Amino acid sequence: MRYCRFQINGEVHYGLVESVAGRDAIVRLLLTPPEEADGDMESLRTRRIDAIPLEQATLLPPVRPSKIVCMGRNYREHAAELGHELPKEPLIFLKATSALLPPGGIVRRPRISERVDYEGELGVVIGKTCHQPPADADIRQYVLGYTCVNDVTARDLQNKDGQWWRAKGFDTSCPVGPVVSDEIDPWAGVSVETRVNGEVRQQGNTRDFIFTLDVVIRHIAQAMTLFPGDLIPSGTPSGVGPLVAGDSVEVMVEGVGILRNSVADE
Ligand code: MG
């Protein structure tokens, strides 16, 4: 199933998204937040509503993470384009939750940076508390679903600063959505594509990950307990490049949907 989070008449709801006559629409409200489903979306109680076309809904980020734990350099070609060695173990960093931006929100290029890049990524949404999982545990039980993330990066600050707190964490640097889906299988391979003003800039497939998601999640959960709703952007394919004011940027994850945002100067 696929769900979104949206606002209507001043109230915030989670909504079940289905295809109605070939277009995505919110057809039911979720009566329990998906983070409380203990990883089992099918167990959620719902209530039918008059269908709301997804493009007409006031969407919010579909996740409310306690933290955003990102994977860096998880595609060979991207590590090469930035002149980096292949990592020997997962390269992990954090993004601030205050950076979250809904679908349709405006990415504001901060005044402190002269080079702000898009990074289209598959985002993993945790569904079940995960702390040092047993070696034989199936990591998929901890995953609620998947979404699209744009890991927007102030590249000049990333290169200059030892810590990436502002390069990766400035306000509006984490567009996410439009939906969370449990209907795809990144282990089998899903395509991740980024377009700027309609032109394809990045094209990757999760089957090319250097570290598979179970390795990444295990690595994080050795140090840090993952809670339901936590978001793990899984790394970006090659083809990163700058955004300028007036751009429209789209991150497409096959089977999830398209995350669309515009760009402006702060
Ligand atoms: Mg990234």
Side-chain angles (χ1 to χ4, degrees), residues 20-33:
V20 177
R23 303 178 79 173
D24 281 343
I26 305 168
V27 295
R28 304 187 81 95
L29 298 184
L30 304 183
L31 301 180
T32 319

Side-chain angles (χ1 to χ4, degrees), residues 152-196:
V152 181
T153 302
R155 194 71 69 201
D156 50 349
L157 300 180
Q158 184 188 25
N159 292 334
K160 181 174 132 191
D161 297 346
Q163 302 280 327
W164 299 347
W165 65 281
R166 56 179 181 165
K168 295 283 192 178
F170 66 85
D171 290 351
T172 73
S173 65
C174 193
V176 57
V179 302
V180 175
S181 170
D182 67 355
E183 295 170 353
I184 61 168
D185 181 2
W187 280 266
V190 296
S191 65
V192 177
E193 190 173 286
T194 308
R195 301 184 198 118
V196 178

Side-chain angles (χ1 to χ4, degrees), residues 209-225:
F209 280 158
I210 298 171
F211 298 103
T212 57
L213 293 178
D214 44 302
V215 173
V216 173
I217 292 170
R218 274 180 201 289
H219 186 75
I220 297 167
Q222 289 306 311
M224 214 177 254
T225 302

Side-chain angles (χ1 to χ4, degrees), residues 7-240:
Q7 192 163 18
I8 189 166
N9 300 329
E11 288 182 9
V12 174
H13 298 279
Y14 285 93
L16 189 64
V17 175
E18 286 179 2
S19 181
V20 177
R23 303 178 79 173
D24 281 343
I26 305 168
V27 295
R28 304 187 81 95
L29 298 184
L30 304 183
L31 301 180
T32 319
E35 299 94 330
E36 294 173 21
D38 202 29
D40 178 13
M41 280 218 251
E42 301 301 328
S43 69
L44 293 169
R45 289 187 309 120
T46 65
R47 176 161 59 84
R48 181 167 285 285
I49 55 168
D50 291 336
I52 303 168
L54 198 61
E55 72 264 22
Q56 285 173 25
T58 304
L59 293 176
L60 300 169
V63 290
R64 291 182 299 169
S66 76
K67 55 193 166 300
I68 304 166
V69 193
C70 303
M71 177 69 198
R73 296 172 204 159
N74 205 18
Y75 290 86
R76 282 176 178 77
E77 294 78 9
H78 173 59
E81 76 178 346
L82 294 182
H84 297 297
E85 305 266 300
L86 289 187
K88 299 206 168 35
E89 60 177 19
L91 172 70
I92 305 293
F93 59 92
L94 293 164
K95 251 174 130 72
T97 53
S98 48
L100 287 167
L101 186 72
I106 302 170
V107 174
R108 303 259 175 209
R109 298 169 75 251
R111 275 186 282 268
I112 51 172
S113 170
E114 287 173 3
R115 163 88 189 228
V116 173
D117 284 8
Y118 54 82
E119 290 191 359
E121 308 193 5
L122 169 92
V124 181
V125 181
I126 294 296
K128 206 172 176 175
T129 300
C130 180
H131 170 71
Q132 299 179 352
D136 60 350
D138 179 359
I139 286 297
R140 292 177 203 230
Q141 69 181 294
Y142 299 104
V143 175
L144 187 64
Y146 307 91
T147 188
C148 313
V149 177
N150 193 340
D151 173 23
V152 181
T153 302
R155 194 71 69 201
D156 50 349
L157 300 180
Q158 184 188 25
N159 292 334
K160 181 174 132 191
D161 297 346
Q163 302 280 327
W164 299 347
W165 65 281
R166 56 179 181 165
K168 295 283 192 178
F170 66 85
D171 290 351
T172 73
S173 65
C174 193
V176 57
V179 302
V180 175
S181 170
D182 67 355
E183 295 170 353
I184 61 168
D185 181 2
W187 280 266
V190 296
S191 65
V192 177
E193 190 173 286
T194 308
R195 301 184 198 118
V196 178
N197 304 326
E199 189 181 299
V200 176
R201 299 288 180 85
Q202 291 186 286
Q203 247 176 342
N205 192 295
T206 57
R207 77 170 85 88
D208 298 325
F209 280 158
I210 298 171
F211 298 103
T212 57
L213 293 178
D214 44 302
V215 173
V216 173
I217 292 170
R218 274 180 201 289
H219 186 75
I220 297 167
Q222 289 306 311
M224 214 177 254
T225 302
L226 290 166
F227 294 108
D230 282 353
L231 179 63
I232 306 175
S234 56
T236 203
S238 61
V240 296

